Amino acid sequence: MKNILVILLVLLCGSAFAQISFKDSSGQTVTLEKQPQKVVVLNSSNLEMFFAAGGIPAAYAASNTTPVYIENRLKGVPNVGRVENPDIERIVAMNPDLVIGMNFPFHVALRSSLNGAGIKVALFSPVTLPQVKETVQIFGTITGNKAKAAESVADIDNKLKTVQDRLKGIKKVRALVLYGSPESYNMALPDSYAGMMLEMAGGDNIAAGAKSDRKGPMAGSAMSRGFAPVSLENIAVQNPDYIFLINHDNKTQAKNDSSLTKHPAWSGLTAVKNGKVISLPFETYGNNPTVRTGDAVLGLAKIMYPEQFK
């Protein structure tokens, strides 16, 4: 009788993971027959969401955009090459249950080869906050830790609610987010991730209405969609109260930036004259911050409305 009970318990444990199916960002349906034990993650934003959903990757692809706190969690975890050029042979040799990558050409191209080796591939590139939350929840199912995933989503929502509550009835400041360098800046439109964060932080985006530049192989990604070339004439008319800069020079913290004062075309703007040009940390605002969206929005709101957060 005791042996029968043990067998039943084993069977029950084995069936605890019901088959799951989900659609990834490429529109393909991925079905997992068992709880994956080895998951390889090929980019930094998916690594953040995977960790936030209670997962620990079996391997990862190295990237220059990986936040420091994620790099610290990856110590001791093997890598399978660079994010833009993962080593297929190394991945196949690991025989993972699942490979998670981005919906970009260089990861899409891996799918047929890995599928041919019997390895499942899921591609995720969320471009809106609801898609970020959905992806974290899918990862929670994959890792078997739905509660941890729900906690991460709730943390985003709680911080965004804090911002909304503090800014009720506030008069919005006019703001602009610029990505790049003074010689080649692009403006973040409302449908870019940076533009969405600015709006959630209570900013009135003066770039609204400009035409998006959706050309190039990376068009449609979270950090390339919704940007437009700078129109200095329009910016001068709108005359923003704040200008936020995103470039590779500043990695980790927001700080005042005087670079625009050196350019005659920018120096007459209110934001420039009042010292309201802020360089934002690239590792947060230069990438899709996924589970750090609440922190990123809260940070922007505190800069624009310091009196509301005392």
Side-chain angles (χ1 to χ4, degrees):
M1 184 67 176
K2 185 177 179 181
N3 289 338
I4 293 174
L5 288 172
V6 170
I7 292 170
L8 285 172
L9 285 170
V10 170
L11 288 173
L12 285 171
C13 291
S15 63
F17 180 83
Q19 181 190 80
I20 63 166
S21 291
F22 54 84
K23 274 193 176 182
D24 67 7
S25 296
S26 71
Q28 288 207 21
T29 298
V30 179
T31 300
L32 301 174
E33 305 290 344
K34 63 178 183 177
Q35 186 84 53
Q37 300 302 307
K38 287 196 292 184
V39 179
V40 175
V41 185
L42 300 179
N43 66 294
S44 60
S45 63
N46 281 326
L47 276 168
E48 284 200 74
M49 291 185 286
F50 194 70
F51 275 121
I56 299 176
Y60 71 101
S63 169
N64 292 334
T65 64
T66 303
V68 173
Y69 87 101
I70 292 295
E71 288 182 346
N72 291 336
R73 298 188 69 174
L74 289 169
K75 289 178 180 177
V77 178
N79 77 63
V80 288
R82 300 285 304 173
V83 62
E84 67 277 8
N85 188 29
D87 189 324
I88 296 180
E89 291 184 2
R90 216 182 303 178
I91 295 172
V92 171
M94 290 187 66
N95 192 29
D97 304 304
L98 178 67
V99 172
I100 295 174
M102 295 185 291
N103 187 29
F104 287 102
F106 43 81
H107 286 175
V108 173
L110 299 175
R111 183 168 242 159
S112 59
S113 297
L114 292 175
N115 285 170
I119 298 170
K120 300 284 182 73
V121 177
L123 304 174
F124 292 96
S125 295
V127 296
T128 67
L129 183 56
Q131 289 171 353
V132 166
K133 294 178 184 179
E134 181 184 12
T135 303
V136 173
Q137 289 163 343
I138 290 172
F139 286 2
T141 302
I142 291 170
T143 64
N145 202 335
K146 292 183 180 180
K148 179 65 175 174
E151 183 182 313
S152 295
V153 170
D155 180 68
I156 298 172
D157 289 336
N158 290 337
K159 284 170 180 168
L160 294 181
K161 186 177 185 306
T162 295
V163 172
Q164 291 172 351
D165 290 345
R166 296 289 183 95
L167 299 184
K168 277 183 181 176
I170 201 79
K171 182 182 177 182
K172 291 186 176 182
V173 299
R174 291 163 299 160
L176 176 68
V177 177
L178 298 175
Y179 193 104
S181 66
E183 289 73 30
S184 59
Y185 274 132
N186 283 285
M187 305 183 295
L189 304 181
D191 64 339
S192 68
Y193 210 92
M196 286 185 279
M197 288 191 293
L198 179 63
E199 183 176 329
M200 288 187 285
D204 180 10
N205 189 351
I206 70 162
K211 189 175 180 181
S212 177
D213 182 2
R214 296 178 181 275
K215 297 178 181 179
M218 305 294 275
S221 76
M223 289 312 300
S224 64
R225 71 194 291 270
F227 283 84
V230 163
S231 169
L232 276 170
E233 182 179 355
N234 183 58
I235 292 172
V237 171
Q238 297 289 340
N239 203 13
D241 303 299
Y242 280 88
I243 297 176
F244 296 102
L245 308 180
I246 302 173
N247 57 55
H248 291 273
D249 295 335
N250 181 21
K251 300 292 184 183
T252 58
Q253 61 183 359
K255 59 186 179 182
N256 290 324
D257 191 296
S258 61
S259 60
L260 294 185
T261 62
K262 303 170 187 175
H263 296 264
W266 297 91
S267 59
L269 297 175
T270 296
V272 178
K273 290 191 291 186
N274 292 342
K276 302 295 186 182
V277 178
I278 311 295
S279 174
L280 298 174
F282 188 84
E283 77 166 26
T284 297
Y285 297 92
N287 299 299
N288 179 341
T290 63
V291 293
R292 289 175 294 135
T293 297
D295 294 303
V297 170
L298 185 58
L300 280 176
K302 286 181 176 179
I303 292 170
M304 291 188 289
Y305 306 101
E307 294 298 320
Q308 303 303 119
F309 292 90
K310 284 186 175 180

